[in-house]
Amino acid sequence: MTYRDLEFPKGFLWGSAASSHQTEGGNRNDWREWEKIPGKIRDGEDSEIACDHYNRYEEDFDLAKKFGHQVHRFSIEWSRIEPHMGKWNEREIEHYRKVVQSLIERDIQPMVTLHHFTNPIWFRDMGAWLNSESPGLFGRYTRKIVDALSDYDIIWNTINEPMVVVTMGYLYGEFPPGLNDYAKGLVVAGNLLRAHGHAGTGIREVYESKGLEQPQIAPVLSCSYFMPQDPENPDDVELARYLDDLYNHVWIRGVMTSTIPEPAGDGHRYDLLDDSADFIGINYYSRMVVSSEYDIMTGETPPKNPELERCEGLDWEVYSEGYYHVLKSYWEKYKTPIFLTENGIGTQDDSLRCRYILEHLQQVHRVIQEGADIRGYLVWSLTDNFEWAQGFESHFGLIEVDYETLERIPRESAYLFRDIIRENGPTKEMQSKYLSR
Ligand code: IFM
């Protein structure tokens, strides 16, 4: 196999991503309550300490700096800012000011997510995203925290992976509130769209009222590459097409057209969505092979391909070519800049992580060469962390966390990624070292 240097566009941004609940420790929210229910988290683990990032963020950002990261994406924990409805915790707001400041001091661009799966307990108790008040309440929190942080140069992400909230929480019941109710899932999808609109409008208005230059705003989508198990079977082909539209496109189509589209709504206009996405954040990990003989609505899928490598715990197949197809279709449909807000693999086999990153960057480079406007790439994640229902089973970090001592131990992939950043893309030497087997 011969390789060539893959040079990325000038100004392409490189870094890593994480979220509050998975790293901070000490959160009091709906997820922490969920973790207390026996059987919800693998091996009964919980996020009580997680990576203790709440106290160690400076150490973690020193590592991000050491390894050359230019952007760091993290989330604000809503339950810390508004622990009781309408009551703000100024000490926690100050904490996040320090977190942002600490990135800026290291010359790392903060990308801040306003909602990454977790909700305050009072919000859960009022029905969370099923409540028609939920979008407005999210908008009010957004204004509060954005107002407090707007003097820093921040790229804003509104809601992380709305369709994961819908499918895992309301269809498959693996995340709180643990429902198996497709109709309710669709109500949630609609309210998450409205919430994104409230957040986008809130951010714009805060900056405008202060005479500040408008920041970059984006929602972040989880995307999968849906493939028919039998490409000759029209039912499989149609199912893959249908799921691609439902999971990958319905929600973002709403953002792009300022509507609440079917089946999340009836297609009516929703003005607050206007001008709410300067770019689309895309998280990609794997493909999904579907067959009309399996009931995807109950989570049934055909057996995995034994020849493909897998993500530990989650069992996702490594399928880098899907990244190309997914990115190509987003670019062709929306012609809106894309930022790759998450990509990575949970594994203790770090040579697999190195291969995964390189193979996925090859696909990114390919789609950029074909004209897609892709602005940056973030590895999930900077450190190992609490992987939701999988507990600490999936090791996604460029940096290992020893959960006994909380020591951070950089993996070889951290050095490889540092070199990729230095060269603004994988060189032929890097590819032949890790990909020639
Ligand atoms: O850890 C998660 C993250 O919270 C959202 N995107 C997918 C990651 C890996 O499962």
Side-chain angles (χ1 to χ4, degrees):
M1 185 78 186
T2 54
Y3 297 101
R4 61 194 175 94
D5 293 337
L6 301 179
E7 203 181 321
F8 277 63
K10 197 160 172 284
F12 193 85
L13 292 170
W14 303 90
S16 58
S19 86
S20 54
H21 192 70
Q22 293 174 270
T23 58
E24 284 178 349
N27 284 316
R28 299 288 169 259
N29 55 28
D30 63 338
W31 254 95
R32 185 66 192 89
E33 292 297 298
W34 177 256
E35 292 158 22
K36 293 177 186 161
I37 305 173
K40 298 300 182 195
I41 313 296
R42 186 188 283 250
D43 296 335
E45 289 175 328
D46 66 51
S47 67
E48 191 54 30
I49 307 290
C51 311
D52 194 30
H53 176 75
Y54 187 85
N55 298 307
R56 296 170 193 245
Y57 64 89
E58 303 234 47
E59 178 186 347
D60 289 339
F61 296 163
D62 279 345
L63 287 165
K65 179 74 190 160
K66 172 175 172 193
F67 288 101
H69 297 196
Q70 299 156 343
V71 183
H72 184 69
R73 174 174 176 246
F74 71 97
S75 69
I76 303 266
E77 181 58 39
W78 183 4
S79 60
R80 288 186 186 271
I81 304 303
E82 192 177 5
H84 303 283
M85 187 173 173
K87 302 266 181 294
W88 308 107
N89 186 329
E90 298 297 335
R91 204 172 38 82
E92 294 290 11
I93 293 175
E94 190 49 32
H95 169 79
Y96 285 111
R97 281 184 58 83
K98 288 192 191 131
V99 172
V100 170
Q101 172 93 39
S102 140
L103 285 170
I104 287 176
E105 279 165 4
R106 289 163 178 78
D107 205 17
I108 298 174
Q109 170 70 55
M111 185 181 278
V112 178
T113 308
L114 292 161
H115 187 272
H116 194 120
F117 296 168
T118 53
N119 298 314
I121 290 170
W122 60 264
F123 184 79
R124 174 200 70 179
D125 290 345
M126 56 183 284
W129 299 109
L130 285 168
N131 189 313
S132 59
E133 302 292 312
S134 57
L137 291 168
F138 181 67
R140 183 176 66 174
Y141 143 73
T142 295
R143 283 170 196 262
K144 179 74 184 176
I145 190 69
V146 169
D147 182 51
L149 298 179
S150 56
D151 48 335
Y152 296 113
D153 176 13
I154 287 174
I155 299 174
W156 292 101
N157 290 166
T158 54
I159 295 173
N160 181 69
E161 301 181 346
M163 290 308 287
V164 171
V165 176
V166 170
T167 51
M168 296 300 279
Y170 296 82
L171 184 62
Y172 299 137
E174 290 178 29
F175 286 9
L179 301 184
N180 306 102
D181 188 328
Y182 180 59
K184 285 192 174 147
L186 293 177
V187 173
V188 168
N191 280 336
L192 286 169
L193 252 176
R194 292 179 187 91
H196 166 80
H198 274 270
T201 304
I203 298 170
R204 296 273 182 243
E205 288 180 2
V206 167
Y207 278 72
E208 196 179 328
S209 69
K210 296 178 146 184
L212 297 168
E213 193 185 324
Q214 285 294 331
Q216 294 272 301
I217 303 176
V220 169
L221 311 179
S222 158
C223 306
S224 188
Y225 182 49
F226 289 91
M227 298 178 77
Q229 185 181 38
D230 177 1
E232 304 296 317
N233 178 339
D235 291 341
D236 287 8
V237 172
E238 174 51 22
L239 182 63
R241 189 210 57 76
Y242 172 78
L243 292 172
D244 171 54
D245 191 63
L246 186 63
Y247 189 80
N248 289 333
H249 294 289
V250 165
W251 199 89
I252 191 67
R253 188 183 304 132
V255 174
M256 292 298 158
T257 57
S258 297
T259 61
I260 311 296
E262 289 182 359
D266 60 6
H268 61 274
R269 196 173 154 72
Y270 197 69
D271 292 348
L272 293 183
L273 288 166
D274 286 348
D275 192 24
S276 64
D278 295 298
F279 65 91
I280 306 174
I282 293 192
N283 299 348
Y284 174 87
Y285 290 88
S286 183
R287 67 171 183 174
M288 174 84 77
V289 177
V290 295
S291 153
S292 47
E293 285 172 21
Y294 292 80
D295 184 7
I296 184 87
M297 298 312 259
T298 59
E300 272 184 35
T301 49
K304 300 274 160 78
N305 180 341
E307 285 172 15
L308 294 180
E309 295 180 287
R310 311 261 180 94
C311 172
E312 128 199 291
L314 294 151
D315 216 24
W316 297 334
E317 292 170 331
V318 175
Y319 194 74
S320 60
E321 208 184 314
Y323 208 8
Y324 166 82
H325 293 291
V326 160
L327 294 176
K328 183 95 177 156
S329 90
Y330 278 99
W331 173 247
E332 285 178 351
K333 277 191 206 301
Y334 309 111
K335 291 281 187 264
T336 297
I338 292 169
F339 203 110
L340 305 171
T341 34
E342 290 180 26
N343 178 241
I345 183 164
T347 180
Q348 302 215 60
D349 172 358
D350 197 53
S351 65
L352 171 56
R353 189 183 338 276
C354 293
R355 286 200 298 285
Y356 184 98
I357 291 172
L358 288 167
E359 284 172 2
H360 283 74
L361 285 174
Q362 288 176 332
Q363 301 297 334
V364 175
H365 188 263
R366 180 175 163 208
V367 79
I368 291 175
Q369 293 300 104
E370 293 177 17
D373 181 357
I374 301 189
R375 304 274 169 98
Y377 172 91
L378 308 182
V379 171
W380 183 273
S381 184
L382 176 62
T383 61
D384 289 341
N385 57 54
F386 179 71
E387 179 52 37
W388 310 110
Q390 304 302 322
F392 296 99
E393 168 77 7
S394 296
H395 300 76
F396 275 94
L398 292 169
I399 295 165
E400 178 191 343
V401 174
D402 175 334
Y403 291 112
E404 295 293 314
T405 61
L406 294 172
E407 189 190 350
R408 274 62 170 156
I409 307 152
R411 295 191 164 106
E412 186 174 345
S413 53
Y415 292 90
L416 168 65
F417 192 52
R418 176 199 64 188
D419 294 345
I420 292 173
I421 298 173
R422 264 190 201 151
E423 300 295 331
N424 200 29
T427 60
K428 52 177 179 296
E429 290 78 15
M430 295 172 196
Q431 294 167 80
S432 63
K433 174 167 176 196
Y434 291 98
L435 300 180
S436 310
R437 280 189 276 169

